[in-house]
Structures are given as structure tokens and as C-alpha cells.
Amino acid sequence: MTRYIRPVTVVVLSLLWLVPTYLLVVNGIVSSKDYSGTVHWLPTSFGFFDNVRQAWQAADLGPAMLNSALYATVSGALAVFVAAMAAFAATVLPGRGKVLWFWAVYVGSLFPVQAFLRPLFNGFASTGLYDTRLGLFVIYAATCVPFSFFILRNTMRSLPPEVAEAARMDGASWTRMFFSIHLPLVVPSLVAAFIFQFVWVWNELLFGITLSFSGGVRPVMAALAGLQGSYSTVGPPVVLAGALLVSVPTVAVFLAFQRMFVSSLKTNV
């Protein structure tokens, strides 16, 4: 009897997880003209493309999606590279206090982002970074470093120390070791960390609505939040169709790098 508990639990939890997604899809494809104000469990009409068109125009999703793509790609890649250098320093380079340095970097991921909003807003306003792409690049990259560092440090710690010792005996510099030996060995973890950060930046809302307001700067989730405030104008099906549209890039990135992502999880577990 006990052997069935685990698979049954997994199935039940999976169904509970899929119910909101199912309702999102069903109510997103229902025509806004036929929407009665109550949740649809079965599609009564098909108006998905019209809903997407209205969401695209009302929220100006095109520039917003381009902004988020830039933020997620550039900030995610920069954060992963910085985290890789920090992980290399905390695992391979000689020195003391490596545990202290680990917590000094990783503790940044333990605080809620809401705690940073007020000081960040004041700082951005006083330095001219408010409502600029550069400001969002900086905050997203800085916020993504701690968790990426956690993943990459664990992976580099699993590498045999003989690799670094052999490289040093052959006369390799620390820079050569980092770029030619350790980075290639942790490529799956680099990809996994990038996926995590890409998805987080793409779905991030608080920094987007706090540190930007113009259409040429704000990320897609901030634009979608503005669309959600227009319920009386566009209707819930349009908002849900917009949510389905903006979720496509993150799903595509995950599916494209799925094998490396799974491989990295096996390494870090």
C-alpha cells in the first residue's frame, strides 16, 4: 500500500498545479464579447487571437517584451559571469575566510526584495538612473548574482582538486585556469543559472513598476500590470491572453536548454 502513496501524491499535486494553468488557457481563449464575468471551465467560443491583438495594442506589449528580453538576457548573462568568477575565487583560489565570503555574497538572496524598494528609489532618483534602461540592467544583474553564485560554487566544489593542482604545475595562470578549465567544466551549471535568472528577470514586477514608468523602459510585467488595471475597458480574457503571450519566451528558453538544466540539477543534488 505504501508504494502507491508517493505516485498518488505526485499526481494529485501535479493536478493542483495544472488547474490554474488550465483556467488561464480556457478563459484566455474565450471571446471577450462572450465573457459573462464568471470563470469558464470549458471554452464556449474562440477569440484568442482577437484577445491577443487587443492586449498587444492596449498595453503596447511589443516594446515591453523587447525591453524584458534585453534585461533578462544581458543582466542574466552578466550576473552568471560575475557569479562564476566569485565561485572560482571562493573554491579554487588560495586564501582564508572562504565560508565568510560565501555568506557575504549569498545573503543577498535571503532578504525580500521589498526591503530594497525605498532606498533604491531614492538612490535612483538622486543619481539619474530612475526610468532608465541602465538602472534596470544594474539592479537586475546585482539581484541575480547571489543565487547564481550559490549554484556555481556548489558545482566548482564538486570538481576534483587535482584539476587545479595539475594546471598550476603546468604553469597555468589563475586567469587561464578560470577561462580554459573551470568554465568549460561547469557549462551545464552556467546554463541552469542563466535559465533561473532569465525567468526571474522576465517575470519580475516590483522593480519594474517602482523604478520605471515610460513605455520605452518599463519591462513587460509592468506593462501587463497596467493592462490588468484596465479591466473595465478590455475585459479579463484580454488580460489572460496577454499573460499567455508573455509567458511564451520563458517556456521556449527552458525547453531549448532542458537537457543542460536537468544535467546541472543532477550535479548539484
Side-chain angles (χ1 to χ4, degrees):
M1 183 63 182
T2 56
R3 65 177 180 175
Y4 296 108
I5 295 178
R6 182 175 180 180
V8 169
T9 302
V10 172
V11 171
V12 171
L13 292 177
S14 299
L15 291 176
L16 292 175
W17 182 267
L18 289 174
V19 166
T21 305
Y22 170 78
L23 292 176
L24 172 66
V25 173
V26 170
N27 289 270
I29 66 177
V30 172
S31 175
S32 58
K33 298 179 181 178
D34 300 332
Y35 192 77
S36 60
T38 59
V39 176
H40 287 233
W41 286 90
L42 293 174
T44 57
S45 60
F46 186 84
F48 175 72
F49 295 110
D50 185 59
N51 293 339
V52 168
R53 180 184 59 79
Q54 292 185 56
W56 186 274
Q57 295 176 351
D60 201 14
L61 291 180
M65 291 183 71
L66 177 59
N67 290 335
S68 283
L70 290 173
Y71 298 145
T73 303
V74 176
S75 298
L78 179 60
V80 169
F81 180 71
V82 172
M85 291 192 294
F88 180 79
T91 56
V92 180
L93 294 182
R96 297 182 179 180
K98 292 184 177 181
V99 175
L100 179 62
W101 281 111
F102 164 74
W103 283 108
V105 176
Y106 181 65
V107 73
S109 65
L110 302 180
F111 294 101
V113 295
Q114 292 85 347
F116 305 120
L117 292 180
R118 183 179 178 84
L120 279 174
F121 178 83
N122 293 334
F124 273 47
S126 62
T127 57
L129 291 176
Y130 179 72
D131 195 37
T132 63
R133 284 182 174 178
L134 177 60
L136 290 179
F137 277 128
V138 170
I139 188 59
Y140 285 144
T143 309
C144 290
V145 167
F147 187 71
S148 300
F149 171 71
F150 174 78
I151 295 176
L152 295 171
R153 173 183 176 270
N154 288 346
T155 303
M156 288 192 182
R157 287 191 65 184
S158 66
L159 298 178
E162 291 79 10
V163 173
E165 294 174 0
R168 291 298 292 172
M169 291 180 64
D170 290 339
S173 64
W174 296 116
T175 303
R176 178 69 181 275
M177 289 173 58
F178 175 70
F179 284 102
S180 300
I181 299 176
H182 286 76
L183 275 188
L185 289 175
V186 298
V187 166
S189 292
L190 291 171
V191 174
F194 175 77
I195 293 174
F196 273 119
Q197 306 316 326
F198 183 95
V199 172
W200 183 86
V201 173
W202 185 274
N203 292 328
E204 200 281 325
L205 174 63
L206 288 177
F207 290 141
I209 62 177
T210 304
L211 303 178
S212 68
F213 68 89
S214 62
V217 176
R218 66 179 180 176
V220 68
M221 288 303 162
L224 193 62
L227 177 65
Q228 189 173 1
S230 305
Y231 262 27
S232 60
T233 303
V234 297
V238 175
V239 179
L240 297 178
L244 284 172
L245 176 65
V246 301
S247 67
V248 171
T250 55
V251 175
V253 168
F254 177 80
L255 292 178
F257 299 101
Q258 182 181 8
R259 290 188 177 181
M260 286 190 175
F261 183 78
V262 174
S263 175
S264 174
L265 290 181
K266 292 179 180 179
T267 303
N268 285 278
V269 169

